[in-house]
Amino acid sequence: MSRTVGEHTADPCPRCFVHAVRPGEPTAVGGCDVVGYLCDRCAHAWTRPVEDDLDVYDIVRVDLTDATLYGTVWQMDADRVLVRGTSGEWLRWVERWRVIVY
């Protein structure tokens, strides 16, 4: 489970369990699209799969460089997702690799 740090979300490192804001990088491992992370404290690297089974109305978390947003999938393209804010106050297209089903 993640915790909120200001406008960012901090997830713990699976090795040292230190919470920190970590930007992910899209990459591929074994032909699968994944997001790679690196812990600044212990140098552990890990990945998570890019969500490929998103549906309209899924509740999601969007990890941006400068903020973490929570909302609902409103529309999808092959490489991007339109996310609507929880109260409908915003709509934003984001890259699919930034979206995590919440």
Side-chain angles (χ1 to χ4, degrees):
M1 192 68 172
S2 61
R3 66 184 175 105
T4 301
V5 178
E7 293 183 333
H8 298 274
T9 297
D11 287 322
C13 168
R15 179 184 287 163
C16 69
F17 303 107
V18 170
H19 288 265
V21 175
R22 296 181 180 89
E25 291 292 327
T27 188
V29 173
C32 296
D33 292 331
V34 297
V35 180
Y37 298 94
L38 177 67
C39 179
D40 292 337
R41 181 169 182 256
C42 72
H44 178 65
W46 70 96
T47 61
R48 69 162 174 85
V50 173
E51 303 284 354
D52 62 355
D53 61 347
L54 287 173
D55 287 318
V56 174
Y57 305 123
D58 278 348
I59 305 301
V60 295
R61 180 179 99 192
V62 180
D63 290 336
L64 301 173
T65 305
D66 59 345
T68 298
L69 305 174
Y70 295 88
T72 305
V73 174
W74 212 243
Q75 186 177 339
M76 294 174 295
D77 284 348
D79 60 344
R80 64 186 188 149
V81 177
L82 182 62
V83 178
R84 181 177 185 254
T86 53
S87 300
E89 69 273 11
W90 52 266
L91 281 169
R92 183 167 184 171
W93 282 102
V94 297
E95 295 96 346
R96 183 180 287 265
W97 66 269
R98 295 184 179 275
V99 175
I100 301 169
V101 174
Y102 197 67

